[in-house]
């Protein structure tokens, strides 16, 4: 008993030390965001052709869009190889394979891409995944893995006759985790109009009866919050969220059901949920989305960490699939 108690105390002490370190790091970042200039030393932009010019996306033009984006990814791979970036060349080459289905692809710089899993044109239930910081073509595989895991789960769990699709939407330039931009809504405000346009485009492809859910991870929850007002979606799920920039779910001005979850080992819990005006810049995102004050439907996410929400077999993935399928009564609550 004494050994077990000691171990628990040691763990609690470690958590407190880690919490203090993270709060100190956040304070330093806030100072840097407002007072210190950012270094101009950034990775050189990776050359690539401009995105393919596509006709309006409809159910009948999807195959042409997929083919055009695969061709663009192949050209981007060749340019990256000539540039000497073998890692990007390999990533682009993988995206050019016949089994991949992209609604959009842009290999320039950090890159952007929107990939489809499942039969989008005939889907009754569609999940759109919106990623958080440090997601680019160079790190895309980890984002894609979550989309694949979700589609696998939906395929197994969907009632007979219900067709599903998952869309991995890397449709904006995400902030770096250690940067000033990750502490403000700037990138989210730039991304929100593109997310709104994309959801409207999905409606044109899948039809008015399809149920669309937004699943928003980390900084992606800030993007979803900025796009939420009037958006034609059934559910908005915020996972691993630092806050949304809104004081409450009601302040998002959406008819969608707003969900929130945080894993037991997610470091985002240590981030202070504040919103502060410093020298004319608003830093931080305010109310914790899993707190009663925010007013979201809080669901169980298990003991996972910040990158575990879409891990196969996890509690969070199970509940996210239920949300997408419209099985709200089956979602386990925190």
């Amino acid at each position: 008993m004494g050994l077990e108690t000691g171990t628990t105390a040691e763990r609690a002490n470690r958590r407190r030390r880690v919490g203090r370190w993270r709060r100190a790091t956040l304070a330093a970042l806030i100072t840097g965001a407002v007072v210190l200039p950012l270094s101009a030393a950034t990775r050189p932009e990776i050359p690539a052709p401009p995105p393919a010019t596509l006709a309006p996306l409809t159910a009948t033009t999807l195959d042409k869009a997929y083919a055009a984006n695969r061709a663009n990814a192949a050209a981007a791979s060749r340019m990256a190889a000539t540039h000497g970036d073998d890692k990007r060349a390999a990533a682009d080459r993988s995206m050019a394979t016949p089994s991949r289905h992209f609604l959009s692809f842009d290999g320039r710089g950090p890159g952007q891409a929107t990939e489809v899993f499942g039969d989008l044109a005939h889907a009754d239930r569609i999940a759109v995944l919106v990623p958080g910081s440090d997601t680019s073509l160079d790190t895309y595989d980890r984002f894609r893995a979550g989309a694949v895991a979700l589609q696998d789960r939906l395929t197994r769990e969907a009632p007979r006759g219900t067709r599903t699709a998952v869309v991995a939407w890397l449709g904006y330039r995400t902030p770096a985790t250690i940067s000033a931009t990750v502490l403000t809504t700037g990138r989210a405000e730039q991304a929100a109009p593109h997310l709104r346009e994309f959801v409207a485009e999905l409606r044109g492809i899948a039809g008015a009866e399809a149920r669309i859910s937004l699943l928003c991870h980390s900084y992606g929850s800030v993007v979803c919050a900025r796009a939420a007002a009037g958006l034609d979606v059934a559910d908005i799920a915020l996972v691993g969220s630092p806050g949304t920039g809104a004081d409450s779910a009601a302040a998002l001005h959406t008819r969608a059901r707003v969900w929130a979850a945080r894993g037991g080992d997610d470091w985002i819990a240590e981030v202070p949920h504040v919103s502060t005006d410093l020298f004319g810049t608003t830093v931080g995102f305010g109310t914790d989305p899993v707190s009663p004050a925010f007013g979201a439907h809080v669901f169980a996410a298990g003991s996972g960490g910040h990158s575990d929400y879409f891990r196969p077999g996890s509690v969070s993935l199970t509940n996210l699939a239920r949300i997408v399928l419209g099985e709200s009564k089956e979602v386990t609550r925190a």
Side-chain angles (χ1 to χ4, degrees):
M1 178 69 72
L3 178 60
E4 185 176 347
T5 301
T7 301
T8 301
E10 289 170 3
R11 288 176 179 170
N13 287 333
R14 280 198 298 272
R15 284 195 295 268
R16 282 194 290 270
R17 287 196 297 270
V18 170
R20 286 194 296 269
W21 176 81
R22 284 173 177 151
R23 284 189 288 272
T25 301
L26 182 70
L29 282 172
I30 289 173
T31 301
V34 180
V35 179
L36 303 176
L38 292 176
S39 170
T42 58
R43 180 179 178 181
E45 290 288 294
I46 300 171
T53 301
L54 304 173
L57 285 174
T58 66
T60 59
T61 64
L62 281 180
D63 287 342
K64 289 182 179 179
Y66 294 156
N69 285 309
R70 285 195 295 266
N72 190 276
S77 177
R78 292 189 293 270
M79 292 180 71
T82 301
H83 184 65
D85 195 319
D86 294 337
K87 180 180 179 181
R88 175 60 68 82
D92 291 342
R93 187 164 55 250
S94 174
M95 293 179 175
T97 58
S99 61
R100 307 290 289 271
H101 299 122
F102 288 93
L103 293 175
S104 65
F105 177 85
D106 185 352
R108 298 172 295 181
Q112 296 181 19
T114 302
E115 188 169 8
V116 174
F117 306 87
D119 183 359
L120 183 61
H122 300 99
D124 306 301
R125 304 286 186 269
I126 301 170
V128 179
L129 275 58
V130 181
S133 61
D134 284 327
T135 308
S136 67
L137 294 189
D138 294 319
T139 62
Y140 180 78
D141 281 351
R142 69 186 185 193
F143 177 45
R144 182 179 191 270
V148 170
L150 178 61
Q151 177 60 7
D152 286 347
R153 182 81 191 203
L154 292 172
T155 301
R156 292 197 306 271
E157 300 295 331
R160 182 181 296 273
T162 298
R163 295 161 294 188
T164 66
V166 173
V167 182
W169 185 78
L170 175 55
Y172 77 110
R173 188 163 185 160
T174 68
T177 299
I178 305 300
S179 72
T181 51
V182 81
L183 300 173
T184 70
T185 61
R187 290 286 175 89
E189 288 166 356
Q190 294 169 11
H194 300 293
L195 181 56
R196 291 192 197 101
E197 290 170 7
F198 177 67
V199 170
E201 198 169 53
L202 275 185
R203 278 283 169 231
I205 296 170
E209 299 304 315
R211 180 188 179 96
I212 300 174
S213 300
L214 293 185
L215 310 184
C216 320
H217 178 241
S218 195
Y219 189 87
S221 65
V222 188
V223 176
C224 290
R226 283 292 181 269
L231 202 62
D232 187 11
V233 297
D235 299 276
I236 299 174
L238 314 170
V239 294
S241 176
T244 64
D247 292 332
S248 65
L252 299 181
H253 302 293
T254 177
R255 291 174 295 177
R257 179 171 295 201
V258 179
W259 302 83
R262 185 164 62 226
D265 197 34
D266 189 343
W267 58 262
I268 206 76
E270 302 292 346
V271 174
H273 291 282
V274 297
S275 181
T276 304
D277 184 27
L278 295 177
F279 307 105
T281 299
T282 301
V283 178
F285 305 111
T287 309
D288 186 349
V290 300
S291 69
F294 190 76
H297 298 274
V298 180
F299 64 94
S303 60
H306 193 63
S307 300
D308 294 334
Y309 291 96
F310 295 91
R311 180 169 50 82
S314 65
V315 172
S316 57
L317 184 66
T318 298
N319 280 326
L320 287 167
R322 289 168 177 166
I323 289 169
V324 173
L325 292 172
E327 299 172 351
S328 58
K329 292 182 179 179
E330 304 300 320
V331 175
T332 55
R333 304 305 172 100

